Amino acid sequence: MNSNRIGFIDFLRGFALFGILAVNLPFFSKPMYLIASLGENKTLFDCIGSWIVAFFFESKFYVLFSFLFGYGFYIQLTNGPKNSTKARYFRRILGLGILGILHGIFLFIGDILLSYAILGVLLWFLRNRSIPQLLRLSLYFLVLAIICRIGMSLAEGYFKSELESRLPQLLEESRKAYLGGFWENTKQRTIDTILSIPFLVFYQWPNVLSMFCFGFAAAKGSIFSDWEKTRSGLRKFFPWMLIIGILGNGLYTLHSRHILPENIQIIWKFVFAITDTASAPALTFCYVYLLGNYFFSERSFGDKPWFESMGKLSLSIYIGESFVCTWIFCGWGLGYFDQLGSYLVLLLTPFIWIFFSIVALIWKRFFTLGPMEWALRSWTYWKMIR
């Protein structure tokens, strides 16, 4: 694998960290029961901030990270001694799962690391599949995602009525806990993390598996080793993906942010489930295509170090962003929980991301690995990595 290919993957990770932060910040800043609800926003600016997150960021960046995870899985298989590949991989998966549990309890209710660890076990058994087989599996999991979305849509009315009856109590408990001390935060976050598991399983897991397979197939095909060749192939799909991405995510925004009527016919729930599932990967495809054109051009020379440094430290920065966000909003820190609207929360995103990009640049001057990467790699290789 040449340096350009590795560099572009790190570049994509650095970009994805921005999108992940934009999606995660609302879950740090207010009770999870308010996110994307009718009562979330009070002003037009807050509504606009919520619409921007829904259209450009929601569901696109965990899809991108899942693709990169599958891509990285292939790199792990092809590097290092073959006789210890299985042991290394499952140690890495276990370490990732432990980090995910700790992250979900102490920092962020929407942790994705534990999901990656659990689903990554299945990826091991797909390692010998051919590229066409992996692509078909990716499509099958995408169909499964649509089926799960339809099921969630049909059950939405029941859960909404159950939630509305308990909402005032839940909001009061959440605000009191997150504005309290560290252990009050931890207890409430653990409860919220457990409650979010069904959502993760039915809403995210099929998409994650689809992108795992797609990323693995992409790595096997070395699609980023020759960008000029890859670009000519991707260019054929770009106009269609852009149309699907814009129209589908526009519909998703109208639907998820309650701009469309609430009481709709069942047929429309099927339409929303299909468009919601298909349009996020379509727009993600457009992001990757446009970023690839930019990265492999001379214009990106000055930006590469920022994005690539963050990409190489993506695990440390992901957890570091969670720590900073928790400090901003929880009672043991600055205590801004449920006090900032969606517009101001969105404006925080570039400032936090730029702060960590500077940290990453400085860190890479002195160290090869980030602290979390060092710990996970040392555990994976079962020896202290320098």
Side-chain angles (χ1 to χ4, degrees):
M1 302 208 175
N2 62 40
S3 59
N4 282 337
R5 177 188 177 188
I6 300 289
F8 182 49
I9 295 300
D10 288 328
F11 190 89
L12 284 177
R13 287 196 186 101
F15 173 75
L17 284 167
F18 181 85
I20 291 288
L21 180 61
V23 176
N24 289 354
L25 260 172
F27 290 90
F28 287 105
S29 67
K30 65 191 72 172
M32 69 175 186
Y33 312 100
L34 286 179
I35 306 299
S37 71
L38 276 169
E40 180 184 12
N41 300 307
K42 301 294 190 297
T43 70
L44 178 60
F45 278 121
D46 288 335
C47 289
I48 292 173
S50 181
W51 298 340
I52 290 173
V53 171
F55 185 90
F56 291 102
F57 300 105
E58 277 184 13
S59 300
K60 290 79 177 172
F61 286 90
Y62 82 84
V63 162
L64 178 54
F65 254 124
S66 302
F67 169 83
L68 295 172
F69 185 93
Y71 202 102
F73 172 66
Y74 178 79
I75 295 174
Q76 293 171 41
L77 286 181
T78 54
N79 290 338
K82 297 297 181 182
N83 59 352
S84 63
T85 299
K86 183 176 181 180
R88 286 200 332 265
Y89 181 75
F90 281 101
R91 275 199 301 270
R92 181 178 178 82
I93 286 293
L94 178 60
L96 200 65
I98 293 171
L99 281 177
I101 292 172
L102 296 176
H103 185 234
I105 291 173
F106 293 107
L107 294 176
F108 181 53
I109 63 170
D111 170 74
I112 196 68
L113 300 178
L114 180 59
S115 295
Y116 281 3
I118 295 171
L119 300 177
V121 173
L122 177 61
L123 193 57
W124 170 261
F125 297 100
L126 302 178
R127 67 192 185 281
N128 294 323
R129 298 295 181 99
S130 65
I131 292 177
Q133 288 176 323
L134 289 167
L135 292 177
R136 283 197 296 269
L137 281 171
S138 179
L139 180 59
Y140 295 155
F141 284 126
L142 198 61
V143 172
L144 177 62
I146 293 174
I147 295 172
C148 289
R149 297 283 178 90
I150 292 173
M152 293 175 68
S153 297
L154 296 177
E156 184 181 14
Y158 170 78
F159 289 108
K160 187 178 290 185
S161 61
E162 288 288 313
L163 178 61
E164 287 176 353
S165 63
R166 298 183 55 209
L167 186 58
Q169 177 189 349
L170 293 171
L171 292 178
E172 182 180 356
E173 291 175 354
S174 185
R175 288 164 180 149
K176 182 179 179 181
Y178 285 116
L179 289 172
F182 179 79
W183 292 113
E184 287 85 356
N185 295 176
T186 301
K187 180 181 177 182
Q188 184 64 40
R189 192 175 293 106
T190 302
I191 294 171
D192 289 346
T193 297
I194 293 172
L195 290 175
S196 68
I197 289 175
F199 173 82
L200 293 174
V201 171
F202 292 103
Y203 189 88
Q204 289 190 340
W205 281 19
N207 293 76
V208 169
L209 285 170
S210 177
M211 292 300 108
F212 276 4
C213 294
F214 190 60
F216 196 20
K220 273 194 168 186
S222 302
I223 66 167
F224 297 132
S225 60
D226 184 353
W227 179 250
E228 288 302 318
K229 179 180 177 181
T230 298
R231 180 171 61 178
S232 63
L234 298 182
R235 187 165 46 206
K236 301 174 184 177
F237 298 97
F238 177 73
W240 298 105
M241 291 297 180
L242 186 62
I243 293 171
I244 294 171
I246 291 175
L247 295 180
N249 283 286
L251 192 59
Y252 168 77
T253 302
L254 294 174
H255 174 228
S256 67
R257 292 318 188 259
H258 311 282
I259 301 170
L260 294 176
E262 291 295 302
N263 298 320
I264 58 175
Q265 296 178 350
I266 291 180
I267 185 64
W268 282 107
K269 292 187 177 183
F270 282 79
V271 171
F272 291 148
I274 294 170
T275 56
D276 290 357
T277 308
S279 61
L283 196 57
T284 303
F285 173 93
C286 296
Y287 290 161
V288 173
Y289 176 75
L290 294 173
L291 286 170
N293 288 337
Y294 178 69
F295 178 85
F296 290 99
S297 70
E298 295 180 356
R299 293 172 297 169
S300 68
F301 180 78
D303 295 325
K304 284 182 181 179
W306 295 83
F307 287 90
E308 288 186 40
S309 295
M310 294 190 76
K312 292 173 182 176
L313 308 179
S314 57
L315 181 60
S316 296
I317 291 176
Y318 173 64
I319 293 177
E321 287 176 344
S322 294
F323 178 81
V324 168
C325 293
T326 304
W327 172 72
I328 291 172
F329 292 105
C330 286
W332 59 267
L334 299 180
Y336 281 105
F337 188 77
D338 206 20
Q339 296 183 40
L340 301 181
S342 299
Y343 177 68
L344 289 176
V345 170
L346 178 60
L347 288 180
L348 276 176
T349 303
F351 290 101
I352 296 174
W353 186 86
I354 290 171
F355 168 76
F356 275 100
S357 67
I358 295 171
V359 170
L361 277 175
I362 296 173
W363 185 275
K364 289 297 293 180
R365 288 180 176 270
F366 301 97
F367 304 100
T368 304
L369 300 172
M372 292 296 104
E373 285 79 10
W374 171 81
L376 185 59
R377 187 171 296 187
S378 295
W379 167 262
T380 299
Y381 286 88
W382 205 240
K383 64 180 181 180
M384 193 72 70
I385 301 295
R386 289 186 61 186

